[in-house]
Amino acid sequence: MGKGCGSALVYQVVANCSTTRARVAEMTLPHSVVDTPVFMPVGTQGTLKGLLPSQLVSLDCRIMLSNTYHLGNRPGVEVLEQAGGLHSFMGWNRSLLTDSGGFQMVSLLKLAEITEEGVNFESPYDGSKCMLTPERSIEIQRTIGADIMMQLDDVVDATHSDPDRFEEARHRTVRWLDRCLTAHPRPDKQNLFPIVQGGLDEEKRKDCAAQLTKRDVPGFAVGGLSGGEEKDTFWRIVAVSAASLPDTKPRYLMGVGHQVDLVVCSALGVDMFDCVFPTRTARFGTALVFDAPGEIILKKAVYETDFSPIDPTCDCSTCQTYTRLVAVIVNECRRHFTPSYSGHSSTPS
């Protein structure tokens, strides 16, 4: 069992795989008990596009992810405070995990200036300046009321070519963790996870993990991956990072959600995943299914007269109720009637 001092998380391993590092566990959070390994759908701005909270409950989704940077901009801390936090704001009574805003250092790099103080962003909405410090990130996440908050980390794209930048980032991530911990006075109410950085260098990853594990925290994350690196390299770094973290606490691999990666990385000892891939893929006309090759591109003409279920083996409400033809028509309607937006964006769900 893993529980930090005054932690709002209890992690209980139920079973371990006899041939891999995979394990099954129960993670008890303030708003739900989450079975792991778990995939967390992403509702960047407090909503999972195309699904109501009640539909997520019917799918037995126990935890979802939202984004601190975007929610801090819109609707803003004052509105969230008046609403009583994001749970009340969006009508969701199960667990929430919030990204700290660190990923926007990659996705909005052209709009960001990174210093030891924090990250000075130019708002993608109105061009105004916004300084996101470790303290400010925790303040926003506390107002959101997330069950699991992420530290603000210094994120560098894994394919970046400057080794000095990775060295700077992993040391700054540890310093920023300490600032986040100081700004987080209620670990009995909300959990704070640090994030292992170090690019594609195994020794840098091990060293960063060694520094982070000296802090009393209820769980850990692995960040800075899934940015275009070779698959074998990605899996190798995940394996090294996961092996460097305690067996008694949950391990979260950030931004990973492709089917094969969920299987492989679970076998490498990862417990938690998130990614926009499944919901974004569905919105653009491709259904993920169990049979090879793992997806059906419903925009193809062959499905325009197909009255069979999207996936006859799936018991979700869509596959049980609607045909492939209906999905084709709905996707066409969306394509014709969804307005085009210009301007900057990061990773909306």
Side-chain angles (χ1 to χ4, degrees):
M1 178 182 295
K3 183 171 182 177
C5 180
S7 169
L9 181 154
V10 176
Y11 181 73
Q12 180 72 54
V13 176
V14 176
N16 289 285
C17 178
S18 61
T19 56
T20 72
R21 301 194 70 232
R23 68 259 188 98
V24 174
E26 290 182 349
M27 180 171 63
T28 302
L29 298 169
H31 287 89
S32 64
V33 177
V34 178
D35 296 327
T36 67
V38 62
F39 176 81
M40 301 176 288
V42 179
T44 299
Q45 295 177 318
T47 178
L48 195 68
K49 291 183 179 132
L51 287 173
L52 297 170
S54 58
Q55 291 174 307
L56 288 176
V57 171
S58 70
L59 294 170
D60 199 25
C61 175
R62 311 280 184 89
I63 183 170
M64 63 175 289
L65 183 144
S66 289
N67 182 273
T68 298
Y69 170 79
H70 289 290
L71 289 168
N73 275 289
R74 288 193 314 195
V77 173
E78 289 185 5
V79 172
L80 288 168
E81 207 162 31
Q82 292 170 9
L86 186 58
H87 286 91
S88 298
F89 183 83
M90 63 178 291
W92 174 249
N93 61 7
R94 296 189 174 187
S95 295
L96 285 168
L97 182 148
T98 41
D99 182 7
S100 65
F103 176 73
Q104 276 62 51
M105 294 182 206
V106 174
S107 64
L108 299 177
L109 181 60
K110 293 180 180 179
L111 303 177
E113 179 187 0
I114 305 166
T115 65
E116 188 64 27
E117 181 184 1
V119 191
N120 198 13
F121 287 104
E122 179 183 318
S123 170
Y125 305 112
D126 60 12
S128 63
K129 293 292 185 178
C130 166
M131 172 58 80
L132 186 65
T133 64
E135 294 80 9
R136 178 60 174 168
S137 175
I138 294 300
E139 178 188 0
I140 298 171
Q141 292 183 83
R142 287 174 58 197
T143 302
I144 288 171
D147 297 68
I148 298 175
M149 307 185 296
M150 304 307 301
Q151 77 151 113
L152 184 65
D153 56 335
D154 189 352
V155 185
V156 183
D157 189 320
T159 60
H160 196 78
S161 59
D162 184 359
D164 291 338
R165 180 67 184 97
F166 287 111
E167 189 74 1
E168 176 188 50
R170 71 184 177 98
H171 289 299
R172 180 176 286 151
T173 291
V174 177
R175 294 194 295 271
W176 281 3
L177 170 62
D178 289 335
R179 288 169 59 183
C180 287
L181 287 168
T182 300
H184 175 40
R186 297 300 304 273
D188 58 323
K189 300 294 184 183
Q190 291 175 281
N191 300 286
L192 176 61
F193 282 19
I195 304 171
V196 177
Q197 293 291 349
L200 303 180
D201 187 304
E202 293 186 24
E203 295 307 314
K204 285 182 172 60
R205 288 274 171 179
K206 291 177 183 178
D207 181 73
C208 187
Q211 296 303 315
L212 299 180
T213 53
K214 293 177 182 178
R215 279 71 176 171
D216 184 18
V217 292
F220 297 88
V222 176
L225 293 171
S226 196
E229 63 273 11
E230 293 291 330
K231 190 67 76 176
D232 287 346
T233 302
F234 163 68
W235 288 333
R236 174 173 54 82
I237 296 301
V238 170
V240 168
S241 300
S244 302
L245 297 171
D247 289 332
T248 56
K249 296 181 180 181
R251 308 181 189 111
Y252 163 33
L253 181 56
M254 305 181 75
V256 172
H258 286 266
Q259 302 97 308
V260 66
D261 291 331
L262 297 180
V263 175
V264 172
C265 294
S266 291
L268 296 175
V270 175
D271 306 297
M272 303 165 63
F273 306 86
D274 83 278
C275 191
V276 301
F277 169 68
T279 45
R280 177 184 286 171
T281 298
R283 292 202 314 276
F284 286 92
T286 297
L288 303 181
V289 296
F290 289 102
D291 291 337
E295 63 183 31
I296 298 176
I297 302 173
L298 292 165
K299 292 179 284 188
K300 290 184 175 180
V302 66
Y303 299 117
E304 291 180 356
T305 56
D306 191 337
F307 287 90
S308 61
I310 295 172
D311 185 348
T313 66
C314 178
D315 61 2
C316 80
S317 61
T318 300
C319 290
Q320 290 292 308
T321 308
Y322 301 105
T323 66
R324 295 175 181 183
L325 170 60
V326 171
V328 171
I329 294 171
V330 169
N331 184 68
E332 278 297 299
C333 290
R334 177 193 179 282
R335 187 173 65 84
H336 287 298
F337 292 105
T338 300
S340 297
Y341 295 98
S342 61
H344 303 286
S345 65
S346 57
T347 55
S349 65

